[in-house]
Every structure is written in structure tokens, then in C-alpha cells.
Amino acid sequence: SSILNPVFICAYDVSIFKANYLYVAYYGRYYYINDITIIDGHRMQISAHVDVLMTYAAQIQTLSVIIDKQDSL
């Protein structure tokens, strides 16, 4: 487990099985949910992977860039 590929243990909640994405305010990061495993009747384990673009969207939008090449559509 790491900040880029964390594993969370949380209370069992059936509504989580409908989710494929989560935000962790403590880390200020957005994550894709890779897997959900039931540990027992009260807890579940969520494996996730960081969404780099969404996590850093505000910083990316403020970048000043130069377009070197552009294809016409």
C-alpha cells in the first residue's frame, strides 16, 4: 500500500459497491477504485489507484504552455 496505490479498510456499506471513484480529503487526492473485498460482516477493503489528472487539475489549468505542433482536425 502507498499513497499512489492505497488500500483502505472501512466499515461495510453496500452502497460502496456502486462506486468506482473516491476522494480522500486527508490526502487531497482522487482515486479510481480497483477492487473491493469484504473482510468480514463489518469491514471491507478498498484497493485504489490515484487519478493524477484530477488530483492536480487546478495546478495543470494554471500552467502557461507553448504548443509546438498542432494537427488540423
Side-chain angles (χ1 to χ4, degrees):
S1 183
S2 69
I3 197 165
L4 298 179
N5 296 294
V7 176
F8 303 102
I9 307 265
C10 62
Y12 179 84
D13 183 346
V14 70
S15 66
I16 292 177
F17 288 100
K18 296 178 184 176
N20 63 359
Y21 201 71
L22 61 96
Y23 174 72
V24 179
Y26 183 80
Y27 296 136
R29 293 176 187 261
Y30 292 85
Y31 293 93
Y32 295 107
I33 295 174
N34 294 330
D35 191 30
I36 301 172
T37 306
I38 298 172
I39 297 172
D40 57 32
H42 304 286
R43 297 178 302 157
M44 55 196 330
Q45 175 179 297
I46 301 172
S47 300
H49 180 72
V50 71
D51 179 353
V52 177
L53 289 178
M54 189 62 184
T55 296
Y56 297 104
Q59 292 91 329
I60 292 169
Q61 291 173 353
T62 63
L63 291 175
S64 177
V65 298
I66 297 173
I67 298 173
D68 186 34
K69 289 186 178 183
Q70 180 178 350
D71 289 336
S72 60
L73 298 177

